[in-house]
Amino acid sequence: MEKPIIIFDMDGTLLDLAYDDFIWNHQLPIRYAEQHQCSLEQSTQALFQFYQTHNHTLNWYSTRFWTAKVGVDTLALQQEFKHKVSLREGCLELLDYLKSNGYPCWLATNADCEGLKFKLEHTKLASYFDVIISSETLGHAKEFTEFWQHLHERHPFAATQCYFIDDTEKVLKGAESYGIQNLFTIAQPSSLGQSKTSSPYPILNQLTDLIPYLEQAEVTAKYA
């Protein structure tokens, strides 16, 4: 029996979102203040306004866009603190389980191509995935059904059979609108953040919590 495709988000799902929070909400304001000779408060306010304007757009995820916008090399900033990039608990255990049990694994991320390349090189995760795609390549953020339409054109998949795991509700709603049915969210995307207590989607406290769902689906399919 053919195994369903398991599609993963990267930041906040496989990787601890604490790193991105540190870069964009703590370190970049410091560098922006230095670059523009303003106070940290002014810097934080300016960046917050930029973030609000571009949230959930391709620009939001583009290191090149932010480098041009704020006058700080944001890719170099990320690489400077690459030692802070870390896997979420259960990441390797789940990926090893899926690989050893014959599940095709895809990585679908809003991270731009430069950021994706940098994080994959640092974490050594690339070998786990049959397909790796950035929204920058497809021209649409994952929040929108066009992302999934273009992904399907490049790499056909059965929306009703695959599984998709992401930490962002707006992204999951976009996937649901496209027709993906097996959707899961993450309880605590950042190890320094609050845990979700409610969601329209099943919540994974640890990534390995996905395994019982897959095992149950196999049993159901076997006796259907």
Side-chain angles (χ1 to χ4, degrees):
M1 185 173 62
E2 192 173 338
K3 298 289 179 75
I5 296 167
I6 316 296
I7 306 176
F8 288 99
D9 168 51
M10 183 171 69
D11 300 310
T13 298
L14 296 176
L15 305 186
D16 189 341
L17 201 61
Y19 166 80
D20 296 274
D21 289 341
F22 171 78
I23 294 295
W24 298 100
N25 297 324
H26 298 280
Q27 205 58 38
L28 184 57
I30 293 170
R31 297 295 170 86
Y32 184 89
E34 292 170 353
Q35 177 72 17
H36 298 278
Q37 297 185 326
C38 62
S39 70
L40 186 58
E41 184 181 359
Q42 290 170 322
S43 167
T44 302
Q45 283 183 340
L47 288 172
F48 179 75
Q49 288 178 337
F50 293 155
Y51 293 168
Q52 290 292 97
T53 302
H54 298 282
N55 198 7
H56 297 297
T57 68
L58 280 180
N59 283 341
W60 169 261
Y61 303 104
S62 171
T63 51
R64 282 195 300 276
F65 171 80
W66 287 115
T67 295
K69 182 76 174 171
V70 304
V72 176
D73 187 333
T74 55
L75 183 63
L77 182 63
Q78 291 175 74
Q79 291 169 331
E80 182 181 340
F81 292 95
K82 64 183 179 182
H83 60 280
K84 288 183 172 289
V85 175
S86 62
L87 305 178
R88 288 193 64 257
E89 190 172 344
C91 175
L92 292 180
E93 290 89 335
L94 176 58
L95 293 175
D96 283 333
Y97 170 87
L98 295 172
K99 194 169 189 177
S100 62
N101 284 276
Y103 286 91
C105 289
W106 294 11
L107 185 64
T109 178
N110 273 330
D112 67 352
C113 295
E114 288 182 338
L116 173 60
K117 181 172 181 281
F118 147 64
K119 285 179 176 173
L120 288 178
E121 286 175 352
H122 183 72
T123 59
K124 306 290 191 290
L125 286 180
S127 61
Y128 284 100
F129 300 103
D130 304 287
V131 170
I132 297 174
I133 199 81
S134 163
S135 60
E136 182 181 41
T137 302
L138 299 183
H140 297 276
K142 284 190 299 180
E143 286 85 335
F144 303 99
T145 54
E146 290 87 348
F147 172 91
W148 300 101
Q149 290 163 357
H150 288 301
L151 177 60
H152 186 271
E153 288 168 10
R154 286 181 178 235
H155 306 284
F157 64 96
T160 57
Q161 303 300 316
C162 72
Y163 287 69
F164 176 50
I165 303 95
D166 197 289
D167 64 304
T168 303
E169 189 170 305
K170 194 173 176 67
V171 170
L172 290 164
K173 285 189 182 301
E176 186 175 20
S177 296
Y178 177 71
I180 296 176
Q181 295 179 7
N182 300 302
L183 299 163
F184 294 84
T185 193
I186 300 296
Q188 193 179 20
S190 166
S191 59
L192 301 178
Q194 296 292 315
S195 287
K196 294 174 190 168
T197 54
S198 64
S199 170
Y201 308 100
I203 298 173
L204 304 179
N205 288 296
Q206 310 297 337
L207 282 165
T208 47
D209 290 348
L210 182 67
I211 294 173
Y213 286 99
L214 298 175
E215 290 176 339
Q216 181 58 50
E218 279 204 24
V219 171
T220 302
K222 184 177 180 180
Y223 292 103

